[in-house]
Amino acid sequence: MPAIITGWGNCVPPAVATNHDLAQIMDTSDEWIVERTGISERHVSHVGSGELGVVAAQRALAAAGREPNDVDALIFASVSPELLVPSTASLVQKRMGIKDVAAMDLNVGCSGFVYGLAVANGLITSGVCQCVLLIASERLTWYLDWTLRDTAVLFGDGSGAVVMEAGGDDEGVLWAEMGNDGAAADALMVPNFGTSMDRIRHDMLDITVQFDGREIFRRAVKGMTQSGLSVLSHAGYSIDDVQLMIPHQANRRIIDAAGHKLGIDPERVYVNVDRFGNTSAASIPIALAEAMEHKRINAGDLVLFTAFGAGLSRGAALLRWGPRAEPLGVSDAELPPCDATGLEIIRRHAEPMQARAAARAAS
Ligand code: UT7
């Protein structure tokens, strides 16, 4: 039987940086960011992506009425792992006290959650697993070069998680599609982090996200539309049958353009990019947990997820929600307290970068 989502949760760090905050440390404005992206603020994490993911996972398990030891596979989708070795999935497994089961990281950029859904569904439909915990979690503000206004204003931190288990007839993941255009892999990169770096000469302050914004914009609209239409047609449905579409939240203009091309009424498209920015793999499950809280999804609803990101990856999944849209329980898991504001956390990263940029300009 296809897998249904039986538990959902998210965890966003408490510190927030508004566009006005960013305008204090770089040459930008609230007007520009809102007009070009729809983003007003983003959350800034004081902890690693694994810690964010643990809290989201505990909330998802409580909603499913499951214990950590019910989990028989753990997937951690992220482009901002806590460490490269071991996998952040294994760190999360240890922190949550999950027994010896499969645990893996999935690095597919912003499409990580949709890929994770497809992998989890495959593990469940094949009978290999009964209960898969899928976490998507990012601390992207750690990666950013705060001297580059064209990328720094776009991203934010947060995590979301779902528990997946076998459903009944005509429930769960009806179709999922994954694609990746490796020929365009260099259109969106963190080029200076990994084993191709010159270890002797590398300066960790040089790490940054690089992309061709207009090219990604064009490809994101096309890729999300193509994947969305493809899963609908394979599953034998039309866009009019979909009660809620949850697209990857990169830019309000990308979401609107993809929704328009798919022909879906904007009221049936979930948007929260204004409050979180682009949280990469985490954006869809953060939105999903909010949509559940606001009762935007009911038992039996058709839900369409569409994503696009580094790789260049794309994907979509069409899911018929299972019989329960209410959480079975609520977790009291919380992050450690944070005594800094979003701007203060960003300044800690930004000040050495800005000092170095000024020294370079002077020399
Ligand atoms: O999950 C996938 C990850 N990738 C993305 O989300 C990126 C997708 N692309 C986009 O969202 C958009 O292409 C951007 C938001 C990155 C840029 O929007 P745009 O409408 O394509 O603007 P642009 O790149 O054409 O830049 C227009 C102007 C430029 O100034 P000039 O050359 O016209 O004088 C930029 O220097 O806006 C300037 N600019 C800014 N101004 C104020 C760029 N960033 C900023 C900024 N504040 N933060």
Side-chain angles (χ1 to χ4, degrees):
M1 288 295 184
I4 56 172
I5 293 174
T6 56
W8 50 89
N10 68 20
C11 171
V12 286
V16 171
T18 65
N19 294 344
H20 296 288
D21 289 333
L22 298 190
Q24 293 185 43
I25 59 164
M26 64 180 73
D27 180 16
T28 190
S29 66
D30 179 56
E31 293 73 26
W32 190 95
I33 304 170
V34 170
E35 186 192 316
R36 303 292 177 121
T37 71
I39 299 166
S40 294
E41 58 188 35
R42 70 286 297 141
H43 289 247
V44 184
S45 187
H46 59 303
V47 297
S49 57
E51 279 199 66
L52 292 172
V54 164
V55 176
Q58 283 167 327
R59 292 175 180 168
L61 283 172
R66 293 289 180 193
E67 299 293 329
N69 266 330
D70 294 324
V71 171
D72 55 14
L74 195 167
I75 303 172
F76 188 87
S78 183
V79 290
S80 48
E82 287 200 0
L83 299 171
L84 290 181
V85 182
S87 67
T88 307
S90 57
L91 301 176
V92 168
Q93 181 181 26
K94 181 177 180 183
R95 289 172 195 159
M96 293 183 70
I98 294 174
K99 61 183 185 285
D100 176 356
V101 295
M104 62 180 126
D105 283 7
L106 196 56
N107 175 346
V108 205
C110 307
S111 309
F113 180 75
V114 169
Y115 266 61
L117 274 187
V119 172
N121 187 48
L123 291 170
I124 288 169
T125 51
S126 61
V128 171
C129 294
Q130 276 74 50
C131 179
V132 179
L133 176 59
L134 167 59
I135 304 170
S137 185
E138 303 282 11
R139 188 186 188 186
L140 298 167
T141 59
W142 186 94
Y143 265 143
L144 298 172
D145 182 334
W146 293 100
T147 66
L148 301 178
R149 64 180 183 173
D150 55 344
T151 49
V153 303
L154 301 179
F155 297 97
D157 303 331
S159 70
V162 293
V163 176
M164 299 189 68
E165 303 177 68
D169 275 340
D170 192 33
E171 274 178 8
V173 179
L174 304 180
W175 202 273
E177 181 182 281
M178 298 171 277
N180 194 78
D181 180 7
D186 58 2
L188 203 177
M189 321 175 74
V190 180
N192 32 18
F193 190 63
T195 56
S196 64
M197 281 166 27
D198 180 335
R199 199 174 160 194
I200 308 302
R201 286 191 300 170
H202 190 73
D203 178 346
M204 291 299 275
L205 290 180
D206 283 332
I207 293 171
T208 185
V209 179
Q210 272 181 19
F211 59 64
D212 177 343
R214 287 185 182 178
E215 183 65 9
I216 301 293
F217 192 113
R218 198 178 58 76
R219 286 172 178 264
V221 173
K222 194 169 156 219
M224 293 209 290
T225 309
Q226 182 188 335
S227 297
L229 290 174
S230 172
V231 293
L232 284 165
S233 105
H234 276 100
Y237 289 97
S238 94
I239 195 72
D240 295 335
D241 299 316
V242 171
Q243 272 80 32
L244 190 67
M245 171 166 132
I246 305 186
H248 167 51
Q249 311 280 317
N251 180 319
R252 176 80 208 216
R253 288 157 57 214
I254 294 176
I255 295 170
D256 289 348
H260 181 70
K261 277 183 175 268
L262 280 164
I264 189 166
D265 173 0
E267 282 174 12
R268 289 185 285 129
V269 180
Y270 198 87
V271 181
N272 65 8
V273 69
D274 52 321
R275 289 175 287 122
F276 298 105
N278 181 347
T279 57
S280 190
S283 85
I284 293 178
I286 290 174
L288 173 64
E290 277 198 336
M292 297 308 293
E293 198 181 332
H294 299 146
K295 313 239 177 285
R296 294 284 304 272
I297 298 175
N298 298 302
D301 278 358
L302 267 190
V303 183
L304 177 64
F305 302 107
T306 55
F308 187 88
L312 293 173
S313 62
R314 65 181 166 78
L318 184 69
L319 181 137
R320 183 173 297 288
W321 202 264
R324 181 172 52 78
E326 293 292 328
L328 285 176
V330 177
S331 165
D332 58 5
E334 290 292 346
L335 292 175
C338 172
D339 54 12
T341 65
L343 183 58
E344 284 166 351
I345 299 173
I346 289 172
R347 275 195 202 279
R348 276 182 220 147
H349 296 275
E351 278 167 4
M353 293 176 179
Q354 288 166 335
R356 189 197 49 181
R360 276 187 184 161
S363 68

